[in-house]
Amino acid sequence: MKRPRIAMHWQILFGMLAGVIFGFLAAKFGAQQFTVNWIKPFGAIFINSLKLIAVPLIVVSLIKGVSDLKDIAKLSRMGLRTVLLYLITTVVAVSLGLLIVNVVRPGEKINQDTRDKLLESYEGDAGQKIEVAANQKEKGPLQPLVDLVPENAVSAASSNRNMLQVIFFVIFFGLGLLLIAPEQAKPVKDFFDGLNEVILKLVDLIMLTAPYGVFALLATLVVEIQSPDLLLGLLWYSACVVFGLALMVLAFYPALVVFFTGKSYSFFFKGISPAQLLAFSTSSSAATLPVTMERVEEHLGVETEVASFVLPIGATVNMDGTSLYQAVAAVFIAQAYGMQLDLYGQLTIVLTATLASIGSAAVPGAGMVMLVIVLGAIGVPEEGLALIFAVDRLLDMCRTTVNVTGDATVSMLVAKSVGMLGEPHVKEWDDEYHPETAD
Ligand code: ASP
């Protein structure tokens, strides 16, 4: 008999809730240091183990994906649609953010006292982000293209920050594999097919620890939150960002999925929710990537050829949540400084926030660094970053959830358009099936 098991998303939610409660209790009873010493490391171990398999997973699944395509025309068709959909969803997100922030005008609701306190408290933190952004600005316009091609494959694969370089090399390698005689390609392909199965099994194993990992992450987060009174001052701003992000996750993406693929609302959320919860808990699309890939392939029915191509690229360049946040934040800061943005200014935000979100790394806090570039483009003082620092960690969690959901949505649409959206095929030993508990 199969023992009923709690679905993965409930297990993770339970872990998150327990973490938040623990964090509040720890803060109340003075156990902050205990939490930092004895709980926090387990959160770090969990994130590290996810990151650990991100590069190997991209390498093996993309090689498998490209070589399974058997047809270069299909690859370019898929590539074109992916890029187009990523751009469209990002522009929709930025526009939605602009609409909300211009209607609500949160920057005019913040009082002088809170504003000065925020500027003073977070001056140093903001300065650090501005410095990082300044280094990025110094590069020429074609530098991103140059950066795409690594000069050394092994050193590119040695850092998760070089995800795009790794993807470039692997697609290149996959093309080579497609172009040689099938009998010569076979042993190489078989090797990577087997390796792919091993890595997917590692994802399953790591996911068994997810409820404990998110417990540690959220307990630490609650304990480390500073100045809760300043958080209140930013309520209107935070509400605008969260409202926009919620519309994307709860309305825009599911509408696309239902309309273009015919799958239901609940099917979509049941499949993707564990990845969304992990994105929320880790604030990192890159760390969530292994789980996103597994859920999309096994629970949403996207074939490996599509998922392994669309998702790693999406994790690095498609950040709808980040771009929406950047639009709201830029206008909010302008409003708080009493500046009026004309239509030209607003259009500049659409352009720069789209580009800035593409350039943001898939790690916690990256969206804020790139926000400096958006601020610079519309002539808003960069020091204004200090105004939004207090709530950035929390908003980062929400925007990362949107980033991951956007990638999953596009992968379903691309798969449908090339006839590669099948039925879910949950592998054994996954959350829904455990051999040891079955007859
Ligand atoms: N943390 C986000 C991500 O990993 C990026 C950001 O800071 O907006 O997707």
Side-chain angles (χ1 to χ4, degrees), residues 283-285 319 322 361-367 396 399-400 403:
S283 289
S284 167
S285 310
M319 300 202 178
T322 301
V363 296
D396 194 0
R399 63 188 191 242
T400 308
N403 292 346

Side-chain angles (χ1 to χ4, degrees), residues 37-160:
N37 286 345
W38 295 96
I39 307 284
K40 189 177 179 178
F42 291 99
I45 290 173
F46 177 60
I47 294 201
N48 282 356
S49 58
L50 282 169
K51 287 185 181 163
L52 171 72
I53 52 169
V55 168
L57 178 66
I58 292 175
V59 172
V60 294
S61 71
L62 200 51
I63 288 179
K64 178 173 160 43
V66 175
S67 58
D68 278 352
L69 275 177
K70 300 188 185 80
D71 178 3
I72 295 182
K74 209 168 201 173
L75 183 66
S76 59
R77 216 172 335 142
M78 224 162 67
L80 205 70
R81 286 172 197 184
T82 305
V83 171
L84 210 68
L85 281 169
Y86 278 159
L87 268 180
I88 294 173
T89 51
T90 305
V91 172
V92 168
V94 180
S95 311
L96 180 65
L98 280 180
L99 181 71
I100 296 172
V101 74
N102 280 299
V103 171
V104 180
R105 310 194 72 77
E108 291 169 6
K109 296 188 166 68
I110 185 167
N111 67 39
Q112 186 72 28
D113 189 36
T114 317
R115 207 192 82 166
D116 295 345
K117 237 194 249 160
L118 284 166
L119 283 173
E120 193 189 326
S121 314
Y122 294 97
E123 197 185 358
D125 297 314
Q128 279 174 9
K129 297 266 175 191
I130 293 169
E131 215 169 283
V132 179
N135 292 338
Q136 308 214 8
K137 255 195 279 185
E138 273 164 22
K139 297 174 176 173
L142 284 186
Q143 192 60 36
L145 211 59
V146 177
D147 287 344
L148 200 60
V149 186
E151 56 176 21
N152 185 308
V154 179
S155 74
S158 71
S159 161
N160 287 355

Side-chain angles (χ1 to χ4, degrees), residues 282-287 315 318-319 321-323 325-326 360-369 392 395-397 399-401 403-404:
T282 61
S283 289
S284 167
S285 310
N318 182 49
M319 300 202 178
T322 301
S323 65
Y325 143 84
Q326 284 168 339
S360 301
V363 296
M368 196 179 208
V369 171
D392 203 65
L395 296 183
D396 194 0
M397 299 163 83
R399 63 188 191 242
T400 308
T401 309
N403 292 346
V404 166

